[in-house]
Amino acid sequence: MAGTSRSEGRTGLLNGFAAYGMWGLVPLFWPLLKPAGATEILAHRMVWSLAFVAAALLFVRRWAWAGELLRQPRRLALVVVAAAVITVNWGVYIWAVNSGHVVEASLGYFINPLVTIAMGVLLLKERLRPVQWTAVGVGFAAVLVLTVGFGRPPWISLCLAFSFATYGLVKKKVNLGGVESLAAETAVQFLPALGYLLWLSAHGDATFTTEGPGHAALLASTGIVTALPLVCFGAAAIRVPLSTLGLLQYLAPVFQFLLGVLYFGEAMPPERWAGFALVWLALVLLTGDALRTSRRASRTLAAELARIRAEEVASATSGAPRVPAPAPEAAAPAVSAAAPPPEAKAPPLAKP
């Protein structure tokens, strides 16, 4: 049993590294699709992603969720919102990479956890711990420093961070698996994307049929490039702890940053280094606080389970039934009425 658990853990880690590694190295792929513009690439990504995930779902015969989704207008509306938001995210990212802004694009995914936390406070009225407030403040200072470094607000980074954080918030409410969610979203995107590609072709501006079979194959492979990391992520998410996934998520922007600086040769003046250093400091604070909170919760749960087991053993040994503890209302009504519920004391961690 322990060997199986370790094997599952290793499989989960490998899938996690594969997912975030592919997301981190994807800036190497988009330039291969030139001379296609960012909008044409985006449209092909939508069309071929649906083709790929539809084939995968047909293969595993997993379509029951689609009927349930169609019978729930509210969830269906949220899928449309998610599709619209991820369209903005994909389009901005492809344009940024092919226009020489890989470093700024990587910043968007570095600050995404901070934006997610800020949205949790503003929209979900979550309460932050002091370290989380400090991390958000340091992140805000980093944006100000980077505004000076770039000579303008880092709008590419902010657009990517806010769009992806919004996408995560909406997906949480939809509650679909990764592949199923991608299928639903690309189904929404499919007709507009296909219409745009047909319009391009009618005006003689499409590159799919004019740049050779290799170029056409690369455009078609955008479906695999989009869906395969999601499949790996799904395999990792069910096998490794959330805290481990939270650490692995930083692999993608780290790889993107390194590619931007070392491979694409983008400039990094001192002000940008200072801004990135502040962002990394904020992430260290955030991650350290999350790990401490997770360990504390695990120890509390383990102690509570040990106490319950000890009471059960003692009850079985004595032969007398275990007397339950008095209800909080009966034991201390004044304290119970005044104290906030446990959920208010320990708000859930925001996930990027």
Side-chain angles (χ1 to χ4, degrees), residues 59-108:
F59 180 76
V60 297
R61 298 179 181 180
R62 206 161 70 199
W63 282 106
W65 59 272
E68 295 174 7
L69 181 63
L70 291 173
R71 290 191 294 270
Q72 300 176 37
R74 185 176 178 276
R75 287 181 76 201
L76 196 56
L78 288 173
V79 168
V80 173
V81 173
V85 173
I86 201 61
T87 296
V88 173
N89 184 273
W90 285 357
V92 171
Y93 186 78
I94 293 169
W95 177 86
V97 170
N98 283 0
S99 301
H101 299 286
V102 177
V103 169
E104 191 175 351
S106 75
L107 175 64

Side-chain angles (χ1 to χ4, degrees), residues 15-352:
N15 277 283
F17 276 114
Y20 286 108
M22 283 186 278
W23 279 324
L25 297 175
V26 78
L28 296 173
F29 177 72
W30 303 124
L32 300 177
L33 304 181
K34 293 178 179 178
T39 310
E40 183 182 2
I41 295 171
L42 174 63
H44 276 286
R45 185 179 190 180
M46 295 171 179
V47 169
W48 294 109
S49 293
L50 178 61
F52 183 83
V53 294
L57 290 171
L58 280 173
F59 180 76
V60 297
R61 298 179 181 180
R62 206 161 70 199
W63 282 106
W65 59 272
E68 295 174 7
L69 181 63
L70 291 173
R71 290 191 294 270
Q72 300 176 37
R74 185 176 178 276
R75 287 181 76 201
L76 196 56
L78 288 173
V79 168
V80 173
V81 173
V85 173
I86 201 61
T87 296
V88 173
N89 184 273
W90 285 357
V92 171
Y93 186 78
I94 293 169
W95 177 86
V97 170
N98 283 0
S99 301
H101 299 286
V102 177
V103 169
E104 191 175 351
S106 75
L107 175 64
Y109 293 103
F110 274 125
I111 66 175
N112 178 66
L114 302 172
V115 171
T116 300
I117 287 179
M119 289 180 68
V121 173
L122 296 174
L123 301 179
L124 305 180
K125 307 303 180 185
E126 294 179 354
R127 293 197 300 172
L128 300 187
R129 295 181 292 275
V131 176
Q132 290 176 311
W133 276 117
T134 303
V136 171
V138 172
F140 181 75
V143 171
L144 295 179
V145 171
L146 287 165
T147 298
V148 176
F150 284 107
R152 55 171 173 78
W155 69 267
I156 294 174
S157 308
L158 294 173
C159 184
L160 290 173
F162 275 95
S163 61
F164 200 71
T166 304
Y167 178 66
L169 179 64
V170 174
K171 281 195 67 167
K172 185 177 180 181
K173 293 181 178 296
V174 174
N175 194 26
L176 274 178
V179 176
E180 292 88 346
S181 179
L182 180 62
E185 291 152 16
T186 51
V188 173
Q189 298 167 333
F190 179 79
L191 286 180
L194 182 61
Y196 176 75
L197 292 176
L198 293 174
W199 179 85
L200 271 185
S201 182
H203 285 75
D205 296 325
T207 63
F208 185 75
T209 57
T210 60
E211 297 295 325
H215 180 72
L218 284 172
L219 285 172
S221 67
T222 53
I224 299 175
V225 169
T226 300
L228 189 57
L230 271 177
V231 173
C232 293
F233 176 80
I238 62 175
R239 290 178 173 88
V240 299
L242 187 60
S243 57
T244 304
L245 277 182
L247 293 175
L248 287 177
Q249 72 173 321
Y250 297 125
L251 284 178
V254 165
F255 285 166
Q256 293 167 14
F257 175 80
L258 293 175
L259 283 174
V261 174
L262 301 178
Y263 181 79
F264 293 103
E266 295 183 18
M268 281 292 292
E271 310 88 64
R272 293 187 193 177
W273 279 112
F276 269 88
L278 286 173
V279 170
W280 295 332
L281 173 61
L283 293 178
V284 168
L285 292 172
L286 196 63
T287 304
D289 178 70
L291 291 175
R292 281 193 300 273
T293 303
S294 176
R295 282 196 290 265
R296 193 180 304 124
S298 297
R299 285 196 296 268
T300 302
L301 179 61
E304 181 65 16
L305 290 174
R307 183 187 66 79
I308 292 172
R309 288 196 197 99
E311 288 182 358
E312 289 174 347
V313 170
S315 175
T317 303
S318 65
R322 183 167 60 92
V323 179
E329 292 79 7
V335 175
S336 178
E343 294 82 10
K345 295 181 180 178
L349 288 175
K351 184 183 181 298

